[in-house]
Amino acid sequence: EIVLTQSPGTLSLSPGERATLSCRASQSVRSSYLAWHQQKPGQAPRLLIYGASSRATDIPARFSGSGSGTDFTLTISRLEPEDFAVYYCQQYGSSPWTFGQGTKVEIK
Amino acid sequence: EVQLVESGGGLVQPGRSLRLSCVASRFTFDDYAMHWVRQAPGKGLEWVSGISWNSATIDYADSVKGRFTISRDNAKNSLFLQMNSLRTEDTAFYYCARDKNIAAAGLFDYWGQGTLVTVSS
């Protein structure tokens, strides 16, 4: 099973600032099958990024993903008020499909 | 917009059973694999089970293997999760999620709002 470790656990930033979230895998993720999901309190998760760098439908361009192998990054170029949430990375390169423990992006 | 609506959650005693349902709409259900993903209150996400479009491929997390059974009825646009021998650690919100692929490839592109299962005596 691939274990995903996200850092930092919490990111305190102001609107307009840049957010950089990290996800490290315990072994190489096949074909960069790495996704990022956003979850707001009381809501279901929403797919943001798949294939490490492809934006999902209707996801704004301020969200970008990068990385390969075992190291992946989600970048939010300029935080909007609606971006304060928990972000999970998830690998779908090998079953069982696993998630990181999440990074909370909170308002500073 | 894709819609997934779960039901069937509730309070159940340890060792008992519960059946969850998920009704899909606004997309062609049998063109996609489907999954169940759970989240204990205040915790992270855990994949539970997945099923391909034609039910030919089914997979489970080790934590539920032998106790949970996933199934689907394409004629009724519905996904199910039969949960037997429930344990307190199964307490969680259970989300129905669509796979971006026809096979159960593990990429969840749409999620339902979830149904809460509480296992307690």
Side-chain angles (χ1 to χ4, degrees), chain B residues 73-105:
Chain B
D73 183 340
N74 287 344
K76 296 183 178 179
N77 291 344
S78 295
L79 177 72
F80 306 101
L81 186 67
Q82 177 67 42
M83 304 186 294
N84 298 333
S85 303
L86 282 161
R87 305 168 180 168
T88 55
E89 56 263 37
D90 295 319
T91 295
F93 287 93
Y94 284 75
Y95 295 101
C96 167
R98 192 183 83 166
D99 198 299
K100 205 176 189 301
N101 302 281
I102 199 165

PDB file of all heavy atoms in Angstrom, chain B residues 73-105:
ATOM      1  N   ASP B  73     -27.017  -1.625  -9.662  1.00  0.00           N
ATOM      2  CA  ASP B  73     -28.146  -1.962 -10.535  1.00  0.00           C
ATOM      3  C   ASP B  73     -28.189  -0.875 -11.600  1.00  0.00           C
ATOM      4  O   ASP B  73     -28.699   0.231 -11.349  1.00  0.00           O
ATOM      5  CB  ASP B  73     -29.438  -2.025  -9.727  1.00  0.00           C
ATOM      6  CG  ASP B  73     -30.633  -2.441 -10.561  1.00  0.00           C
ATOM      7  OD1 ASP B  73     -30.579  -2.325 -11.808  1.00  0.00           O
ATOM      8  OD2 ASP B  73     -31.645  -2.870  -9.978  1.00  0.00           O
ATOM      9  N   ASN B  74     -27.643  -1.170 -12.766  1.00  0.00           N
ATOM     10  CA  ASN B  74     -27.553  -0.146 -13.814  1.00  0.00           C
ATOM     11  C   ASN B  74     -28.940   0.272 -14.324  1.00  0.00           C
ATOM     12  O   ASN B  74     -29.126   1.411 -14.756  1.00  0.00           O
ATOM     13  CB  ASN B  74     -26.685  -0.648 -14.965  1.00  0.00           C
ATOM     14  CG  ASN B  74     -25.206  -0.673 -14.596  1.00  0.00           C
ATOM     15  OD1 ASN B  74     -24.788  -0.064 -13.616  1.00  0.00           O
ATOM     16  ND2 ASN B  74     -24.412  -1.390 -15.382  1.00  0.00           N
ATOM     17  N   ALA B  75     -29.897  -0.624 -14.267  1.00  0.00           N
ATOM     18  CA  ALA B  75     -31.249  -0.284 -14.721  1.00  0.00           C
ATOM     19  C   ALA B  75     -31.903   0.760 -13.824  1.00  0.00           C
ATOM     20  O   ALA B  75     -32.773   1.524 -14.259  1.00  0.00           O
ATOM     21  CB  ALA B  75     -32.115  -1.533 -14.768  1.00  0.00           C
ATOM     22  N   LYS B  76     -31.443   0.812 -12.576  1.00  0.00           N
ATOM     23  CA  LYS B  76     -32.016   1.757 -11.606  1.00  0.00           C
ATOM     24  C   LYS B  76     -31.025   2.861 -11.234  1.00  0.00           C
ATOM     25  O   LYS B  76     -31.267   3.614 -10.284  1.00  0.00           O
ATOM     26  CB  LYS B  76     -32.465   1.019 -10.347  1.00  0.00           C
ATOM     27  CG  LYS B  76     -33.596   0.024 -10.600  1.00  0.00           C
ATOM     28  CD  LYS B  76     -34.054  -0.641  -9.316  1.00  0.00           C
ATOM     29  CE  LYS B  76     -35.222  -1.596  -9.587  1.00  0.00           C
ATOM     30  NZ  LYS B  76     -35.670  -2.284  -8.358  1.00  0.00           N
ATOM     31  N   ASN B  77     -29.909   2.943 -11.981  1.00  0.00           N
ATOM     32  CA  ASN B  77     -28.892   3.980 -11.713  1.00  0.00           C
ATOM     33  C   ASN B  77     -28.496   4.010 -10.241  1.00  0.00           C
ATOM     34  O   ASN B  77     -28.351   5.092  -9.640  1.00  0.00           O
ATOM     35  CB  ASN B  77     -29.416   5.362 -12.131  1.00  0.00           C
ATOM     36  CG  ASN B  77     -29.551   5.511 -13.627  1.00  0.00           C
ATOM     37  OD1 ASN B  77     -29.005   4.722 -14.397  1.00  0.00           O
ATOM     38  ND2 ASN B  77     -30.284   6.510 -14.058  1.00  0.00           N
ATOM     39  N   SER B  78     -28.292   2.847  -9.673  1.00  0.00           N
ATOM     40  CA  SER B  78     -28.069   2.763  -8.227  1.00  0.00           C
ATOM     41  C   SER B  78     -26.847   1.943  -7.863  1.00  0.00           C
ATOM     42  O   SER B  78     -26.517   0.944  -8.517  1.00  0.00           O
ATOM     43  CB  SER B  78     -29.294   2.151  -7.542  1.00  0.00           C
ATOM     44  OG  SER B  78     -30.413   2.995  -7.670  1.00  0.00           O
ATOM     45  N   LEU B  79     -26.194   2.396  -6.800  1.00  0.00           N
ATOM     46  CA  LEU B  79     -25.035   1.731  -6.208  1.00  0.00           C
ATOM     47  C   LEU B  79     -25.391   1.371  -4.781  1.00  0.00           C
ATOM     48  O   LEU B  79     -26.111   2.126  -4.107  1.00  0.00           O
ATOM     49  CB  LEU B  79     -23.840   2.691  -6.223  1.00  0.00           C
ATOM     50  CG  LEU B  79     -22.547   2.215  -5.574  1.00  0.00           C
ATOM     51  CD1 LEU B  79     -21.874   1.127  -6.429  1.00  0.00           C
ATOM     52  CD2 LEU B  79     -21.590   3.398  -5.369  1.00  0.00           C
ATOM     53  N   PHE B  80     -24.886   0.230  -4.313  1.00  0.00           N
ATOM     54  CA  PHE B  80     -25.211  -0.230  -2.960  1.00  0.00           C
ATOM     55  C   PHE B  80     -23.957  -0.639  -2.196  1.00  0.00           C
ATOM     56  O   PHE B  80     -22.943  -0.985  -2.799  1.00  0.00           O
ATOM     57  CB  PHE B  80     -26.162  -1.430  -3.040  1.00  0.00           C
ATOM     58  CG  PHE B  80     -27.404  -1.164  -3.852  1.00  0.00           C
ATOM     59  CD1 PHE B  80     -27.492  -1.633  -5.155  1.00  0.00           C
ATOM     60  CD2 PHE B  80     -28.459  -0.447  -3.328  1.00  0.00           C
ATOM     61  CE1 PHE B  80     -28.623  -1.383  -5.920  1.00  0.00           C
ATOM     62  CE2 PHE B  80     -29.592  -0.191  -4.085  1.00  0.00           C
ATOM     63  CZ  PHE B  80     -29.663  -0.656  -5.386  1.00  0.00           C
ATOM     64  N   LEU B  81     -24.089  -0.607  -0.872  1.00  0.00           N
ATOM     65  CA  LEU B  81     -23.045  -1.163  -0.016  1.00  0.00           C
ATOM     66  C   LEU B  81     -23.732  -1.901   1.122  1.00  0.00           C
ATOM     67  O   LEU B  81     -24.369  -1.282   1.978  1.00  0.00           O
ATOM     68  CB  LEU B  81     -22.123  -0.075   0.528  1.00  0.00           C
ATOM     69  CG  LEU B  81     -20.909  -0.600   1.309  1.00  0.00           C
ATOM     70  CD1 LEU B  81     -19.944  -1.343   0.381  1.00  0.00           C
ATOM     71  CD2 LEU B  81     -20.181   0.547   2.028  1.00  0.00           C
ATOM     72  N   GLN B  82     -23.617  -3.219   1.108  1.00  0.00           N
ATOM     73  CA  GLN B  82     -24.142  -4.046   2.196  1.00  0.00           C
ATOM     74  C   GLN B  82     -23.041  -4.182   3.238  1.00  0.00           C
ATOM     75  O   GLN B  82     -21.956  -4.693   2.932  1.00  0.00           O
ATOM     76  CB  GLN B  82     -24.559  -5.424   1.679  1.00  0.00           C
ATOM     77  CG  GLN B  82     -25.050  -6.364   2.759  1.00  0.00           C
ATOM     78  CD  GLN B  82     -26.365  -5.903   3.375  1.00  0.00           C
ATOM     79  OE1 GLN B  82     -27.267  -5.451   2.688  1.00  0.00           O
ATOM     80  NE2 GLN B  82     -26.454  -6.021   4.697  1.00  0.00           N
ATOM     81  N   MET B  83     -23.321  -3.727   4.445  1.00  0.00           N
ATOM     82  CA  MET B  83     -22.325  -3.731   5.513  1.00  0.00           C
ATOM     83  C   MET B  83     -22.787  -4.680   6.605  1.00  0.00           C
ATOM     84  O   MET B  83     -23.818  -4.438   7.251  1.00  0.00           O
ATOM     85  CB  MET B  83     -22.137  -2.320   6.064  1.00  0.00           C
ATOM     86  CG  MET B  83     -21.768  -1.293   4.995  1.00  0.00           C
ATOM     87  SD  MET B  83     -21.393   0.324   5.671  1.00  0.00           S
ATOM     88  CE  MET B  83     -22.982   0.778   6.312  1.00  0.00           C
ATOM     89  N   ASN B  84     -22.052  -5.751   6.806  1.00  0.00           N
ATOM     90  CA  ASN B  84     -22.357  -6.743   7.844  1.00  0.00           C
ATOM     91  C   ASN B  84     -21.300  -6.707   8.934  1.00  0.00           C
ATOM     92  O   ASN B  84     -20.211  -6.155   8.738  1.00  0.00           O
ATOM     93  CB  ASN B  84     -22.417  -8.139   7.222  1.00  0.00           C
ATOM     94  CG  ASN B  84     -23.509  -8.277   6.178  1.00  0.00           C
ATOM     95  OD1 ASN B  84     -24.528  -7.572   6.213  1.00  0.00           O
ATOM     96  ND2 ASN B  84     -23.317  -9.185   5.237  1.00  0.00           N
ATOM     97  N   SER B  85     -21.631  -7.306  10.068  1.00  0.00           N
ATOM     98  CA  SER B  85     -20.684  -7.403  11.197  1.00  0.00           C
ATOM     99  C   SER B  85     -20.035  -6.056  11.483  1.00  0.00           C
ATOM    100  O   SER B  85     -18.800  -5.938  11.600  1.00  0.00           O
ATOM    101  CB  SER B  85     -19.609  -8.449  10.887  1.00  0.00           C
ATOM    102  OG  SER B  85     -20.183  -9.695  10.616  1.00  0.00           O
ATOM    103  N   LEU B  86     -20.851  -5.042  11.618  1.00  0.00           N
ATOM    104  CA  LEU B  86     -20.327  -3.690  11.790  1.00  0.00           C
ATOM    105  C   LEU B  86     -19.584  -3.529  13.112  1.00  0.00           C
ATOM    106  O   LEU B  86     -19.938  -4.141  14.138  1.00  0.00           O
ATOM    107  CB  LEU B  86     -21.457  -2.670  11.692  1.00  0.00           C
ATOM    108  CG  LEU B  86     -21.896  -2.378  10.245  1.00  0.00           C
ATOM    109  CD1 LEU B  86     -23.273  -1.742  10.200  1.00  0.00           C
ATOM    110  CD2 LEU B  86     -20.869  -1.486   9.550  1.00  0.00           C
ATOM    111  N   ARG B  87     -18.547  -2.712  13.064  1.00  0.00           N
ATOM    112  CA  ARG B  87     -17.703  -2.441  14.224  1.00  0.00           C
ATOM    113  C   ARG B  87     -17.753  -0.950  14.546  1.00  0.00           C
ATOM    114  O   ARG B  87     -18.074  -0.128  13.678  1.00  0.00           O
ATOM    115  CB  ARG B  87     -16.257  -2.846  13.908  1.00  0.00           C
ATOM    116  CG  ARG B  87     -16.082  -4.282  13.446  1.00  0.00           C
ATOM    117  CD  ARG B  87     -14.699  -4.501  12.881  1.00  0.00           C
ATOM    118  NE  ARG B  87     -14.500  -5.881  12.436  1.00  0.00           N
ATOM    119  CZ  ARG B  87     -13.472  -6.287  11.698  1.00  0.00           C
ATOM    120  NH1 ARG B  87     -12.537  -5.411  11.336  1.00  0.00           N
ATOM    121  NH2 ARG B  87     -13.376  -7.555  11.331  1.00  0.00           N
ATOM    122  N   THR B  88     -17.365  -0.593  15.752  1.00  0.00           N
ATOM    123  CA  THR B  88     -17.378   0.823  16.124  1.00  0.00           C
ATOM    124  C   THR B  88     -16.465   1.631  15.203  1.00  0.00           C
ATOM    125  O   THR B  88     -16.761   2.792  14.903  1.00  0.00           O
ATOM    126  CB  THR B  88     -16.954   1.010  17.582  1.00  0.00           C
ATOM    127  OG1 THR B  88     -15.675   0.388  17.774  1.00  0.00           O
ATOM    128  CG2 THR B  88     -17.965   0.371  18.536  1.00  0.00           C
ATOM    129  N   GLU B  89     -15.392   1.017  14.737  1.00  0.00           N
ATOM    130  CA  GLU B  89     -14.454   1.740  13.863  1.00  0.00           C
ATOM    131  C   GLU B  89     -14.994   1.958  12.450  1.00  0.00           C
ATOM    132  O   GLU B  89     -14.350   2.625  11.631  1.00  0.00           O
ATOM    133  CB  GLU B  89     -13.091   1.045  13.807  1.00  0.00           C
ATOM    134  CG  GLU B  89     -13.125  -0.405  13.375  1.00  0.00           C
ATOM    135  CD  GLU B  89     -13.125  -1.366  14.546  1.00  0.00           C
ATOM    136  OE1 GLU B  89     -13.770  -1.049  15.592  1.00  0.00           O
ATOM    137  OE2 GLU B  89     -12.506  -2.451  14.427  1.00  0.00           O
ATOM    138  N   ASP B  90     -16.163   1.409  12.143  1.00  0.00           N
ATOM    139  CA  ASP B  90     -16.805   1.676  10.855  1.00  0.00           C
ATOM    140  C   ASP B  90     -17.620   2.969  10.890  1.00  0.00           C
ATOM    141  O   ASP B  90     -18.168   3.384   9.866  1.00  0.00           O
ATOM    142  CB  ASP B  90     -17.728   0.521  10.458  1.00  0.00           C
ATOM    143  CG  ASP B  90     -16.982  -0.779  10.208  1.00  0.00           C
ATOM    144  OD1 ASP B  90     -15.889  -0.721   9.596  1.00  0.00           O
ATOM    145  OD2 ASP B  90     -17.481  -1.842  10.622  1.00  0.00           O
ATOM    146  N   THR B  91     -17.721   3.592  12.057  1.00  0.00           N
ATOM    147  CA  THR B  91     -18.438   4.854  12.173  1.00  0.00           C
ATOM    148  C   THR B  91     -17.804   5.906  11.279  1.00  0.00           C
ATOM    149  O   THR B  91     -16.606   6.199  11.391  1.00  0.00           O
ATOM    150  CB  THR B  91     -18.442   5.344  13.633  1.00  0.00           C
ATOM    151  OG1 THR B  91     -19.195   4.428  14.425  1.00  0.00           O
ATOM    152  CG2 THR B  91     -19.053   6.741  13.744  1.00  0.00           C
ATOM    153  N   ALA B  92     -18.588   6.474  10.376  1.00  0.00           N
ATOM    154  CA  ALA B  92     -18.044   7.424   9.397  1.00  0.00           C
ATOM    155  C   ALA B  92     -19.151   7.972   8.516  1.00  0.00           C
ATOM    156  O   ALA B  92     -20.263   7.422   8.473  1.00  0.00           O
ATOM    157  CB  ALA B  92     -16.996   6.748   8.515  1.00  0.00           C
ATOM    158  N   PHE B  93     -18.840   9.037   7.821  1.00  0.00           N
ATOM    159  CA  PHE B  93     -19.644   9.465   6.674  1.00  0.00           C
ATOM    160  C   PHE B  93     -19.217   8.575   5.499  1.00  0.00           C
ATOM    161  O   PHE B  93     -18.015   8.392   5.262  1.00  0.00           O
ATOM    162  CB  PHE B  93     -19.374  10.933   6.339  1.00  0.00           C
ATOM    163  CG  PHE B  93     -19.966  11.887   7.330  1.00  0.00           C
ATOM    164  CD1 PHE B  93     -19.210  12.352   8.398  1.00  0.00           C
ATOM    165  CD2 PHE B  93     -21.280  12.319   7.206  1.00  0.00           C
ATOM    166  CE1 PHE B  93     -19.758  13.231   9.332  1.00  0.00           C
ATOM    167  CE2 PHE B  93     -21.831  13.201   8.126  1.00  0.00           C
ATOM    168  CZ  PHE B  93     -21.068  13.651   9.194  1.00  0.00           C
ATOM    169  N   TYR B  94     -20.194   8.047   4.790  1.00  0.00           N
ATOM    170  CA  TYR B  94     -19.918   7.218   3.626  1.00  0.00           C
ATOM    171  C   TYR B  94     -20.336   7.989   2.376  1.00  0.00           C
ATOM    172  O   TYR B  94     -21.503   8.386   2.232  1.00  0.00           O
ATOM    173  CB  TYR B  94     -20.672   5.892   3.727  1.00  0.00           C
ATOM    174  CG  TYR B  94     -20.012   4.944   4.704  1.00  0.00           C
ATOM    175  CD1 TYR B  94     -20.124   5.147   6.075  1.00  0.00           C
ATOM    176  CD2 TYR B  94     -19.251   3.863   4.256  1.00  0.00           C
ATOM    177  CE1 TYR B  94     -19.492   4.300   6.978  1.00  0.00           C
ATOM    178  CE2 TYR B  94     -18.629   3.005   5.145  1.00  0.00           C
ATOM    179  CZ  TYR B  94     -18.744   3.236   6.499  1.00  0.00           C
ATOM    180  OH  TYR B  94     -18.115   2.394   7.392  1.00  0.00           O
ATOM    181  N   TYR B  95     -19.348   8.197   1.510  1.00  0.00           N
ATOM    182  CA  TYR B  95     -19.573   8.919   0.266  1.00  0.00           C
ATOM    183  C   TYR B  95     -19.615   7.952  -0.914  1.00  0.00           C
ATOM    184  O   TYR B  95     -18.752   7.063  -1.027  1.00  0.00           O
ATOM    185  CB  TYR B  95     -18.455   9.931   0.014  1.00  0.00           C
ATOM    186  CG  TYR B  95     -18.360  11.052   1.017  1.00  0.00           C
ATOM    187  CD1 TYR B  95     -17.407  11.029   2.024  1.00  0.00           C
ATOM    188  CD2 TYR B  95     -19.215  12.149   0.946  1.00  0.00           C
ATOM    189  CE1 TYR B  95     -17.291  12.065   2.942  1.00  0.00           C
ATOM    190  CE2 TYR B  95     -19.120  13.188   1.857  1.00  0.00           C
ATOM    191  CZ  TYR B  95     -18.163  13.137   2.855  1.00  0.00           C
ATOM    192  OH  TYR B  95     -18.067  14.169   3.757  1.00  0.00           O
ATOM    193  N   CYS B  96     -20.541   8.191  -1.784  1.00  0.00           N
ATOM    194  CA  CYS B  96     -20.589   7.541  -3.083  1.00  0.00           C
ATOM    195  C   CYS B  96     -19.771   8.420  -4.026  1.00  0.00           C
ATOM    196  O   CYS B  96     -19.899   9.663  -3.999  1.00  0.00           O
ATOM    197  CB  CYS B  96     -22.061   7.473  -3.495  1.00  0.00           C
ATOM    198  SG  CYS B  96     -22.421   7.061  -5.189  1.00  0.00           S
ATOM    199  N   ALA B  97     -18.900   7.831  -4.818  1.00  0.00           N
ATOM    200  CA  ALA B  97     -18.053   8.620  -5.720  1.00  0.00           C
ATOM    201  C   ALA B  97     -17.995   7.966  -7.092  1.00  0.00           C
ATOM    202  O   ALA B  97     -17.887   6.742  -7.206  1.00  0.00           O
ATOM    203  CB  ALA B  97     -16.651   8.750  -5.144  1.00  0.00           C
ATOM    204  N   ARG B  98     -18.067   8.794  -8.121  1.00  0.00           N
ATOM    205  CA  ARG B  98     -17.957   8.291  -9.484  1.00  0.00           C
ATOM    206  C   ARG B  98     -16.496   8.192  -9.881  1.00  0.00           C
ATOM    207  O   ARG B  98     -15.688   9.070  -9.548  1.00  0.00           O
ATOM    208  CB  ARG B  98     -18.684   9.227 -10.449  1.00  0.00           C
ATOM    209  CG  ARG B  98     -18.864   8.653 -11.838  1.00  0.00           C
ATOM    210  CD  ARG B  98     -19.523   9.648 -12.763  1.00  0.00           C
ATOM    211  NE  ARG B  98     -18.569  10.589 -13.340  1.00  0.00           N
ATOM    212  CZ  ARG B  98     -18.841  11.388 -14.370  1.00  0.00           C
ATOM    213  NH1 ARG B  98     -20.038  11.356 -14.933  1.00  0.00           N
ATOM    214  NH2 ARG B  98     -17.923  12.220 -14.831  1.00  0.00           N
ATOM    215  N   ASP B  99     -16.141   7.139 -10.593  1.00  0.00           N
ATOM    216  CA  ASP B  99     -14.803   7.023 -11.172  1.00  0.00           C
ATOM    217  C   ASP B  99     -14.802   7.731 -12.520  1.00  0.00           C
ATOM    218  O   ASP B  99     -15.786   7.688 -13.253  1.00  0.00           O
ATOM    219  CB  ASP B  99     -14.440   5.550 -11.344  1.00  0.00           C
ATOM    220  CG  ASP B  99     -12.953   5.316 -11.517  1.00  0.00           C
ATOM    221  OD1 ASP B  99     -12.372   5.822 -12.488  1.00  0.00           O
ATOM    222  OD2 ASP B  99     -12.375   4.605 -10.674  1.00  0.00           O
ATOM    223  N   LYS B 100     -13.681   8.341 -12.854  1.00  0.00           N
ATOM    224  CA  LYS B 100     -13.598   9.039 -14.130  1.00  0.00           C
ATOM    225  C   LYS B 100     -13.561   8.050 -15.302  1.00  0.00           C
ATOM    226  O   LYS B 100     -13.699   8.435 -16.462  1.00  0.00           O
ATOM    227  CB  LYS B 100     -12.355   9.931 -14.141  1.00  0.00           C
ATOM    228  CG  LYS B 100     -12.442  11.130 -15.080  1.00  0.00           C
ATOM    229  CD  LYS B 100     -11.221  12.005 -14.948  1.00  0.00           C
ATOM    230  CE  LYS B 100     -11.380  13.314 -15.707  1.00  0.00           C
ATOM    231  NZ  LYS B 100     -11.621  13.143 -17.130  1.00  0.00           N
ATOM    232  N   ASN B 101     -13.378   6.760 -14.984  1.00  0.00           N
ATOM    233  CA  ASN B 101     -13.220   5.728 -15.999  1.00  0.00           C
ATOM    234  C   ASN B 101     -14.311   4.671 -15.923  1.00  0.00           C
ATOM    235  O   ASN B 101     -15.014   4.569 -14.927  1.00  0.00           O
ATOM    236  CB  ASN B 101     -11.859   5.060 -15.828  1.00  0.00           C
ATOM    237  CG  ASN B 101     -10.728   6.044 -15.910  1.00  0.00           C
ATOM    238  OD1 ASN B 101     -10.326   6.451 -16.982  1.00  0.00           O
ATOM    239  ND2 ASN B 101     -10.228   6.451 -14.759  1.00  0.00           N
ATOM    240  N   ILE B 102     -14.386   3.876 -16.979  1.00  0.00           N
ATOM    241  CA  ILE B 102     -15.363   2.794 -17.013  1.00  0.00           C
ATOM    242  C   ILE B 102     -14.905   1.626 -16.142  1.00  0.00           C
ATOM    243  O   ILE B 102     -15.725   0.907 -15.558  1.00  0.00           O
ATOM    244  CB  ILE B 102     -15.609   2.350 -18.472  1.00  0.00           C
ATOM    245  CG1 ILE B 102     -16.920   1.573 -18.603  1.00  0.00           C
ATOM    246  CG2 ILE B 102     -14.424   1.557 -19.027  1.00  0.00           C
ATOM    247  CD1 ILE B 102     -17.402   1.425 -20.023  1.00  0.00           C
ATOM    248  N   ALA B 103     -13.599   1.449 -16.025  1.00  0.00           N
ATOM    249  CA  ALA B 103     -13.048   0.451 -15.107  1.00  0.00           C
ATOM    250  C   ALA B 103     -12.818   1.138 -13.766  1.00  0.00           C
ATOM    251  O   ALA B 103     -12.754   2.361 -13.694  1.00  0.00           O
ATOM    252  CB  ALA B 103     -11.739  -0.092 -15.655  1.00  0.00           C
ATOM    253  N   ALA B 104     -12.686   0.352 -12.727  1.00  0.00           N
ATOM    254  CA  ALA B 104     -12.485   0.939 -11.392  1.00  0.00           C
ATOM    255  C   ALA B 104     -11.022   1.337 -11.242  1.00  0.00           C
ATOM    256  O   ALA B 104     -10.225   0.626 -10.641  1.00  0.00           O
ATOM    257  CB  ALA B 104     -12.912  -0.049 -10.317  1.00  0.00           C
ATOM    258  N   ALA B 105     -10.697   2.523 -11.774  1.00  0.00           N
ATOM    259  CA  ALA B 105      -9.314   2.979 -11.820  1.00  0.00           C
ATOM    260  C   ALA B 105      -8.925   3.832 -10.623  1.00  0.00           C
ATOM    261  O   ALA B 105      -7.763   4.193 -10.478  1.00  0.00           O
ATOM    262  CB  ALA B 105      -9.068   3.741 -13.112  1.00  0.00           C
TER     263      ALA B 105
END
